[in-house]
Amino acid sequence: MALDRSDEDLVKAFTRGDVNAFEELMRRHEDRIFALAYRMTGNRSDALDGTQDAFTAAFRNAKKFKGNSAFSTWLYRIAINSCTDLLRKRQRQVPVEEVEDRGEAPREIDDLGLRMELEEALAQLSPDHREAVVMHDVGGYPYEDIAVLTGVQLGTVKSRISRGRQKLAEILEQRDPRGASKETT
């Protein structure tokens, strides 16, 4: 029975042709991958796309999984890459409907205007800084987990979060209370 098999056993079975094994892997991990995608993208529609992209990539690349890390770690890395790619492609402002849809965020900001400003400011960060800040400050991932998931050193993670927060503060400070950029003299 699939429930008795480890993720690694299921991957091996899938690579030998057992499609049901991959379906079981999806069932086991889809909620966590969607939650990660939601935290990274900030809205349900993009999170669904990111989740689908991640599982499609895992399906296509299952033979590349060597077992050097847990399957879940490998899959999270794929999901992070999928969401990062999706965000790069979208590079757009978030419509009001999507911002209103994000009521589940752990640190919900009550003011819609401020949430929109924050989304716009996050979009201006480099992908590495945005990924680290979102994973830590929105997703609640500890530094060590981010290091494993992103494949970078712990010090790099801390630096990206610090610099990302600093850049966010600078961007937000340059805006007036109505959300428009302040004129610099």
Side-chain angles (χ1 to χ4, degrees):
M1 179 170 209
L3 293 176
D4 300 327
R5 296 160 69 184
S6 70
D7 286 350
E8 289 72 19
D9 289 340
L10 289 169
V11 172
K12 288 177 188 172
F14 171 67
T15 59
R16 290 190 303 261
D18 181 359
V19 178
N20 292 329
F22 192 80
E23 290 175 6
E24 177 59 29
L25 287 167
M26 283 181 55
R27 276 191 289 281
R28 286 184 184 183
H29 297 281
E30 65 187 341
D31 289 344
R32 282 176 281 188
I33 295 302
F34 175 79
L36 172 67
Y38 188 84
R39 289 178 191 127
M40 287 193 67
T41 63
N43 69 74
R44 180 174 165 68
S45 177
D46 286 347
L48 288 169
D49 288 346
T51 301
Q52 181 177 346
D53 291 350
F55 280 112
T56 299
F59 183 90
R60 289 182 180 151
N61 295 299
K63 289 183 180 182
K64 294 180 182 177
F65 175 71
K66 302 295 181 205
N68 297 332
S69 63
F71 173 78
S72 59
T73 301
W74 181 76
L75 183 60
Y76 268 56
R77 179 71 250 163
I78 290 172
I80 289 168
N81 290 342
S82 296
C83 290
T84 301
D85 290 346
L86 182 70
L87 289 170
R88 276 190 201 119
K89 289 177 190 171
R90 300 268 162 105
Q91 286 298 312
R92 59 172 173 70
Q93 292 186 343
V94 179
V96 173
E97 307 84 56
E98 291 180 10
V99 175
E100 290 173 346
D101 222 15
R102 295 178 326 166
E104 303 167 21
R107 297 181 184 174
E108 172 122 26
I109 301 171
D110 293 328
D111 179 18
L112 177 60
L114 184 56
R115 281 190 279 160
M116 290 177 66
E117 285 182 46
L118 185 56
E119 286 296 329
E120 290 171 8
L122 280 168
Q124 293 178 46
L125 296 180
S126 72
D128 289 340
H129 290 144
R130 180 177 51 242
E131 176 182 72
V133 169
V134 168
M135 289 181 76
H136 187 268
D137 292 345
V138 178
Y141 287 92
Y143 295 122
E144 295 80 8
D145 289 357
I146 297 170
V148 169
L149 291 170
T150 58
V152 298
Q153 296 294 319
L154 182 61
T156 303
V157 169
K158 290 178 180 180
S159 174
R160 286 178 180 175
I161 292 169
S162 176
R163 289 181 181 157
R165 287 174 177 165
Q166 182 178 7
K167 180 68 174 168
L168 276 175
E170 291 170 7
I171 293 167
L172 292 171
E173 283 176 4
Q174 294 175 4
R175 303 187 69 78
D176 71 20
R178 294 178 309 269
S181 293
K182 289 183 181 178
E183 294 295 323
T184 54
T185 56

